[in-house]
mmCIF file of all heavy atoms in Angstrom:
data_model
loop_
_atom_site.group_PDB
_atom_site.id
_atom_site.type_symbol
_atom_site.label_atom_id
_atom_site.label_comp_id
_atom_site.label_asym_id
_atom_site.label_seq_id
_atom_site.Cartn_x
_atom_site.Cartn_y
_atom_site.Cartn_z
ATOM 1 N N VAL A 157 7.671 13.798 -11.393
ATOM 2 C CA VAL A 157 8.548 13.961 -12.549
ATOM 3 C C VAL A 157 9.274 12.712 -12.849
ATOM 4 O O VAL A 157 9.317 11.801 -12.075
ATOM 5 C CB VAL A 157 9.639 15.054 -12.259
ATOM 6 C CG1 VAL A 157 9.083 16.463 -12.259
ATOM 7 C CG2 VAL A 157 10.375 14.822 -10.952
ATOM 8 N N SER A 158 9.833 12.683 -14.122
ATOM 9 C CA SER A 158 10.685 11.520 -14.425
ATOM 10 C C SER A 158 11.997 11.758 -13.801
ATOM 11 O O SER A 158 12.551 12.900 -13.830
ATOM 12 C CB SER A 158 10.858 11.512 -15.978
ATOM 13 O OG SER A 158 9.711 11.705 -16.568
ATOM 14 N N PRO A 159 12.609 10.682 -13.267
ATOM 15 C CA PRO A 159 13.866 10.823 -12.604
ATOM 16 C C PRO A 159 15.020 11.118 -13.521
ATOM 17 O O PRO A 159 16.067 11.597 -13.101
ATOM 18 C CB PRO A 159 14.048 9.444 -11.930
ATOM 19 C CG PRO A 159 13.117 8.525 -12.652
ATOM 20 C CD PRO A 159 12.044 9.275 -13.270
ATOM 21 N N SER A 160 14.874 10.905 -14.826
ATOM 22 C CA SER A 160 16.016 10.923 -15.722
ATOM 23 C C SER A 160 16.515 12.341 -16.022
ATOM 24 O O SER A 160 17.695 12.539 -16.323
ATOM 25 C CB SER A 160 15.676 10.220 -16.997
ATOM 26 O OG SER A 160 14.454 10.737 -17.487
ATOM 27 N N SER A 161 15.672 13.353 -15.992
ATOM 28 C CA SER A 161 16.047 14.644 -16.439
ATOM 29 C C SER A 161 16.481 15.576 -15.290
ATOM 30 O O SER A 161 15.631 15.964 -14.416
ATOM 31 C CB SER A 161 14.958 15.236 -17.247
ATOM 32 O OG SER A 161 15.095 16.682 -17.383
ATOM 33 N N LEU A 162 17.719 16.014 -15.297
ATOM 34 C CA LEU A 162 18.178 16.947 -14.299
ATOM 35 C C LEU A 162 17.476 18.313 -14.417
ATOM 36 O O LEU A 162 17.171 18.932 -13.367
ATOM 37 C CB LEU A 162 19.688 17.219 -14.512
ATOM 38 C CG LEU A 162 20.591 16.143 -13.999
ATOM 39 C CD1 LEU A 162 22.075 16.440 -14.306
ATOM 40 C CD2 LEU A 162 20.389 15.878 -12.443
ATOM 41 N N GLU A 163 17.234 18.692 -15.648
ATOM 42 C CA GLU A 163 16.577 19.974 -15.906
ATOM 43 C C GLU A 163 15.125 19.979 -15.299
ATOM 44 O O GLU A 163 14.665 20.958 -14.628
ATOM 45 C CB GLU A 163 16.407 20.180 -17.427
ATOM 46 C CG GLU A 163 16.660 21.582 -17.875
ATOM 47 C CD GLU A 163 16.830 21.555 -19.399
ATOM 48 O OE1 GLU A 163 17.778 21.041 -19.887
ATOM 49 O OE2 GLU A 163 15.911 22.082 -20.027
ATOM 50 N N THR A 164 14.399 18.872 -15.508
ATOM 51 C CA THR A 164 13.055 18.832 -14.932
ATOM 52 C C THR A 164 13.111 18.737 -13.409
ATOM 53 O O THR A 164 12.312 19.387 -12.736
ATOM 54 C CB THR A 164 12.374 17.522 -15.447
ATOM 55 O OG1 THR A 164 12.747 17.305 -16.782
ATOM 56 C CG2 THR A 164 10.899 17.538 -15.306
ATOM 57 N N MET A 165 14.202 18.149 -12.833
ATOM 58 C CA MET A 165 14.277 18.139 -11.391
ATOM 59 C C MET A 165 14.502 19.522 -10.852
ATOM 60 O O MET A 165 14.000 19.907 -9.821
ATOM 61 C CB MET A 165 15.461 17.248 -10.944
ATOM 62 C CG MET A 165 15.215 15.681 -10.995
ATOM 63 S SD MET A 165 13.688 15.178 -10.103
ATOM 64 C CE MET A 165 14.174 15.602 -8.429
ATOM 65 N N ALA A 166 15.299 20.267 -11.596
ATOM 66 C CA ALA A 166 15.579 21.724 -11.167
ATOM 67 C C ALA A 166 14.264 22.513 -11.216
ATOM 68 O O ALA A 166 14.003 23.297 -10.280
ATOM 69 C CB ALA A 166 16.602 22.315 -12.093
ATOM 70 N N LEU A 167 13.421 22.280 -12.190
ATOM 71 C CA LEU A 167 12.180 22.917 -12.223
ATOM 72 C C LEU A 167 11.200 22.500 -11.134
ATOM 73 O O LEU A 167 10.439 23.341 -10.525
ATOM 74 C CB LEU A 167 11.453 22.710 -13.635
ATOM 75 C CG LEU A 167 12.227 23.346 -14.865
ATOM 76 C CD1 LEU A 167 11.653 22.831 -16.130
ATOM 77 C CD2 LEU A 167 12.149 24.852 -14.751
ATOM 78 N N ALA A 168 11.247 21.215 -10.799
ATOM 79 C CA ALA A 168 10.434 20.737 -9.698
ATOM 80 C C ALA A 168 10.892 21.378 -8.393
ATOM 81 O O ALA A 168 10.024 21.740 -7.527
ATOM 82 C CB ALA A 168 10.592 19.200 -9.592
ATOM 83 N N ARG A 169 12.176 21.558 -8.215
ATOM 84 C CA ARG A 169 12.656 22.202 -7.047
ATOM 85 C C ARG A 169 12.179 23.696 -6.979
ATOM 86 O O ARG A 169 11.789 24.280 -6.012
ATOM 87 C CB ARG A 169 14.169 22.204 -6.985
ATOM 88 C CG ARG A 169 14.731 20.872 -6.546
ATOM 89 C CD ARG A 169 16.138 20.973 -6.067
ATOM 90 N NE ARG A 169 16.592 19.735 -5.506
ATOM 91 C CZ ARG A 169 17.111 18.735 -6.182
ATOM 92 N NH1 ARG A 169 17.303 18.835 -7.494
ATOM 93 N NH2 ARG A 169 17.460 17.563 -5.591
ATOM 94 N N ALA A 170 12.216 24.320 -8.186
ATOM 95 C CA ALA A 170 11.775 25.722 -8.281
ATOM 96 C C ALA A 170 10.291 25.804 -7.902
ATOM 97 O O ALA A 170 9.831 26.737 -7.240
ATOM 98 C CB ALA A 170 12.013 26.282 -9.714
ATOM 99 N N PHE A 171 9.448 24.815 -8.319
ATOM 100 C CA PHE A 171 8.004 24.814 -8.046
ATOM 101 C C PHE A 171 7.791 24.858 -6.504
ATOM 102 O O PHE A 171 6.939 25.609 -6.023
ATOM 103 C CB PHE A 171 7.398 23.619 -8.627
ATOM 104 C CG PHE A 171 5.889 23.629 -8.721
ATOM 105 C CD1 PHE A 171 5.231 23.866 -9.868
ATOM 106 C CD2 PHE A 171 5.153 23.407 -7.540
ATOM 107 C CE1 PHE A 171 3.849 23.922 -9.895
ATOM 108 C CE2 PHE A 171 3.762 23.393 -7.550
ATOM 109 C CZ PHE A 171 3.105 23.717 -8.799
ATOM 110 N N GLY A 172 8.613 24.016 -5.843
ATOM 111 C CA GLY A 172 8.524 24.130 -4.359
ATOM 112 C C GLY A 172 7.325 23.572 -3.712
ATOM 113 O O GLY A 172 6.814 24.042 -2.668
ATOM 114 N N ALA A 173 6.697 22.488 -4.322
ATOM 115 C CA ALA A 173 5.609 21.735 -3.664
ATOM 116 C C ALA A 173 6.105 21.128 -2.403
ATOM 117 O O ALA A 173 7.387 20.837 -2.348
ATOM 118 C CB ALA A 173 4.976 20.735 -4.639
ATOM 119 N N PRO A 174 5.332 20.771 -1.403
ATOM 120 C CA PRO A 174 5.809 20.137 -0.252
ATOM 121 C C PRO A 174 6.664 18.832 -0.577
ATOM 122 O O PRO A 174 7.632 18.565 0.073
ATOM 123 C CB PRO A 174 4.573 19.734 0.589
ATOM 124 C CG PRO A 174 3.577 20.747 0.097
ATOM 125 C CD PRO A 174 3.852 21.100 -1.295
ATOM 126 N N VAL A 175 6.226 18.047 -1.587
ATOM 127 C CA VAL A 175 6.864 16.842 -1.936
ATOM 128 C C VAL A 175 7.046 16.811 -3.429
ATOM 129 O O VAL A 175 6.189 17.172 -4.199
ATOM 130 C CB VAL A 175 6.096 15.616 -1.517
ATOM 131 C CG1 VAL A 175 6.952 14.347 -1.553
ATOM 132 C CG2 VAL A 175 5.461 15.761 -0.190
ATOM 133 N N THR A 176 8.147 16.145 -3.840
ATOM 134 C CA THR A 176 8.378 15.793 -5.374
ATOM 135 C C THR A 176 8.649 14.320 -5.390
ATOM 136 O O THR A 176 9.540 13.796 -4.678
ATOM 137 C CB THR A 176 9.585 16.563 -5.881
ATOM 138 O OG1 THR A 176 9.285 17.977 -5.825
ATOM 139 C CG2 THR A 176 9.850 16.156 -7.319
ATOM 140 N N ILE A 177 7.837 13.644 -6.180
ATOM 141 C CA ILE A 177 7.981 12.260 -6.356
ATOM 142 C C ILE A 177 8.485 11.939 -7.725
ATOM 143 O O ILE A 177 7.916 12.418 -8.731
ATOM 144 C CB ILE A 177 6.607 11.548 -6.253
ATOM 145 C CG1 ILE A 177 5.716 12.136 -5.137
ATOM 146 C CG2 ILE A 177 6.698 9.980 -6.138
ATOM 147 C CD1 ILE A 177 5.792 11.452 -3.831
ATOM 148 N N THR A 178 9.628 11.194 -7.809
ATOM 149 C CA THR A 178 10.099 10.749 -9.081
ATOM 150 C C THR A 178 9.387 9.466 -9.449
ATOM 151 O O THR A 178 9.464 8.474 -8.720
ATOM 152 C CB THR A 178 11.610 10.604 -9.102
ATOM 153 O OG1 THR A 178 11.949 9.756 -8.030
ATOM 154 C CG2 THR A 178 12.303 11.894 -8.922
#
Side-chain angles (χ1 to χ4, degrees):
V157 286
S158 316
S160 50
S161 161
L162 284 177
E163 219 167 292
T164 321
M165 284 306 295
L167 293 169
R169 284 200 170 87
F171 193 103
V175 195
T176 297
I177 316 266
T178 50

